[in-house]
């Protein structure tokens, strides 16, 4: 008995360094709200429970020595209000494997959206992380709707506050050319800048973003120029004030007239959102919001207004 215990202890000691070199993190978010929506022209308001991009993921890394790591990430999106899978791919939000070195990070696989979007419009979507009914409905990057599959992604290391990204993937949607996304982040103290270029076929979007921290206040915004099947400019201004566990948000954005290939010209559109978040902890918050989209020619979503409240928990 004692011999068995000694052998077991020795085996565990020898195996420990190998296990210590690898780690897997389970993470996720459940985000549900109850909302009332009035669509322009409808007779009454519609009440419903809405999922706001709930997900569960696994991210891991293995120390290869010399500052190099093998990395992976798989992420599953689901509707927390029903428990059903979102989309037709179980790991549709992301499934990547790669290498992280002092020269940058290379990833292969299926990417969630693209970095041109994350570095700009998504970065300043502070009310509810650009999910659900408070999403930015006026941003329309060519590769925004859906992930990049069979993709290759590279980002530089931090170069004195700057990180650059380049991503491409298998051609899709009937296009012969591969999609392309370029992005850059620059952070210096309270100033945060971002830029992105997104291309799919003849559709292109060029976007710049800036935000600044002023103690309890945060202000920011972006400007985007889109050409191709849709031709228009869109912009958004955001502001946030934090008081203890309380967050107060105001967003306003708009477009010029939208030229739609083969359909003519649509009227200007705008969106305004006010939100309140109360942080119960670092991981859990309750929130309330009201948002209105004015889009009479339905170039994006059509005209509607919504108010609601919800709970979000990150793990």
């Amino acid at each position: 008995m004692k011999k068995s215990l000694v052998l077991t202890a020795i085996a565990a000691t020898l195996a420990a360094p190998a296990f210590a070199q690898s780690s897997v993190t389970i993470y996720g978010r459940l985000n549900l709200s109850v909302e009332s929506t009035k669509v322009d022209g409808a007779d009454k308001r519609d009440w419903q429970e809405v999922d706001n991009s709930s997900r569960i993921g696994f991210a891991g890394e293995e120390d290869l020595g010399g500052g190099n790591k093998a990395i992976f990430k798989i992420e599953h999106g689901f509707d927390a209000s029903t428990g059903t899978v979102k989309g037709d791919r179980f790991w549709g939000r992301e499934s990547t494997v790669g290498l992280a070195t002092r020269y940058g990070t290379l990833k292969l696989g299926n990417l969630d959206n693209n970095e041109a979007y994350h570095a700009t419009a998504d970065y300043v979507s502070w009310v509810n992380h650009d999910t659900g009914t408070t999403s930015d409905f006026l941003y329309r990057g060519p590769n925004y709707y859906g992930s990049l599959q069979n993709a290759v992604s590279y980002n530089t290391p931090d170069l004195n506050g700057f990180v650059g990204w380049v991503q491409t993937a298998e051609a899709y949607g009937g296009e012969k050319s591969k999609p392309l996304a370029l992005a850059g982040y620059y952070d210096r103290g309270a100033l945060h800048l971002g830029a992105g270029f997104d291309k799919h076929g003849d559709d292109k979007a060029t976007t710049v973003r800036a935000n600044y921290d002023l103690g309890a206040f945060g202000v920011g915004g972006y400007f985007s120029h889109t050409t191709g099947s849709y031709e228009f400019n869109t912009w958004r201004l955001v502001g946030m004030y934090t008081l203890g566990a309380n967050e107060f948000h105001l967003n306003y954005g708009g477009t010029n007239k939208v030229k739609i290939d083969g359909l003519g010209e649509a009227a200007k559109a705008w969106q305004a959102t006010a939100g309140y978040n109360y942080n119960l902890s670092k991981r859990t918050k309750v929130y309330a919001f009201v948002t209105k989209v004015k889009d009479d020619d339905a170039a994006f979503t059509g005209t509607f207004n919504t108010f609601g409240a919800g709970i979000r928990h990150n793990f």
Side-chain angles (χ1 to χ4, degrees):
M1 182 68 174
K2 289 183 178 179
K3 184 178 180 181
S4 297
L5 290 173
V6 171
L7 291 175
T8 301
I10 292 172
T13 301
L14 293 174
F19 284 113
Q21 291 174 352
S22 302
S23 66
V24 177
T25 300
I26 302 174
Y27 68 93
R29 175 195 300 167
L30 285 95
N31 189 348
L32 290 171
S33 55
V34 176
E35 304 178 3
S36 174
T37 299
K38 175 69 164 59
V39 177
D40 191 41
D43 293 331
K44 59 181 182 179
R45 305 191 69 86
D46 177 39
W47 285 87
Q48 59 181 331
E49 187 172 293
V50 177
D51 176 77
N52 301 283
S53 296
S54 296
R55 80 276 310 255
I56 184 170
F58 301 82
E61 62 180 45
E62 179 187 10
D63 187 354
L64 301 176
N68 303 318
K69 295 184 293 185
I71 58 174
F72 79 87
K73 183 178 179 181
I74 52 177
E75 188 171 299
H76 166 64
F78 62 96
D79 187 332
S81 68
T82 61
T84 54
V85 176
K86 279 195 171 181
D88 57 357
R89 292 172 294 127
F90 191 84
W91 300 112
R93 288 191 60 87
E94 183 165 340
S95 53
T96 56
V97 63
L99 293 172
T101 75
R102 63 180 181 274
Y103 303 108
T105 300
L106 176 70
K107 295 195 294 184
L108 306 177
N110 169 63
L111 300 171
D112 173 31
N113 290 312
N114 64 82
E115 211 60 35
Y117 158 71
H118 288 301
T120 55
D122 182 61
Y123 199 96
V124 288
S125 292
W126 296 339
V127 177
N128 202 7
H129 293 288
D130 204 29
T131 63
T133 314
T134 60
S135 295
D136 184 349
F137 289 104
L138 306 183
Y139 175 83
R140 193 182 287 269
N143 297 301
Y144 173 63
Y145 296 102
S147 56
L148 297 177
Q149 300 176 43
N150 299 307
V152 179
S153 174
Y154 168 78
N155 65 273
T156 70
D158 190 318
L159 304 171
N160 295 318
F162 173 81
V163 177
W165 291 73
V166 57
Q167 298 173 323
T168 188
E170 182 180 56
Y172 69 95
E175 293 290 345
K176 294 182 179 180
S177 61
K178 297 181 184 298
L180 175 67
L182 305 174
Y185 298 80
Y186 180 73
D187 298 296
R188 192 170 188 85
L191 177 65
H192 311 281
L193 304 176
F197 174 77
D198 194 9
K199 181 181 184 298
H200 180 221
D202 294 329
D203 294 337
K204 303 174 184 177
T206 303
T207 312
V208 292
R209 179 264 309 167
N211 57 288
Y212 196 83
D213 302 325
L214 298 165
F217 290 92
V219 293
Y222 76 83
F223 177 85
S224 183
H225 176 63
T226 301
T227 60
S229 55
Y230 279 68
E231 293 191 12
F232 67 101
N233 297 326
T234 185
W235 52 272
R236 175 178 260 205
L237 298 175
V238 303
M240 178 177 70
Y241 175 66
T242 303
L243 180 64
N246 304 277
E247 298 175 12
F248 301 89
H249 296 267
L250 285 175
N251 296 346
Y252 184 78
T255 73
N256 61 348
K257 291 184 178 180
V258 183
K259 295 181 180 178
I260 306 174
D261 190 24
L263 295 177
E265 191 173 78
K268 297 178 182 179
W270 58 264
Q271 179 181 6
T273 303
Y276 169 74
N277 296 349
Y278 184 80
N279 295 284
L280 298 169
S281 69
K282 290 183 178 180
R283 296 182 176 184
T284 304
K285 68 170 58 179
V286 292
Y287 60 88
F289 69 89
V290 58
T291 188
K292 179 176 176 63
V293 175
K294 181 71 169 176
D295 179 26
D296 291 339
D297 289 337
F300 302 94
T301 63
T303 297
F304 72 90
N305 68 81
T306 299
F307 63 84
I311 305 172
R312 186 177 78 209
H313 175 73
N314 296 328
F315 61 90

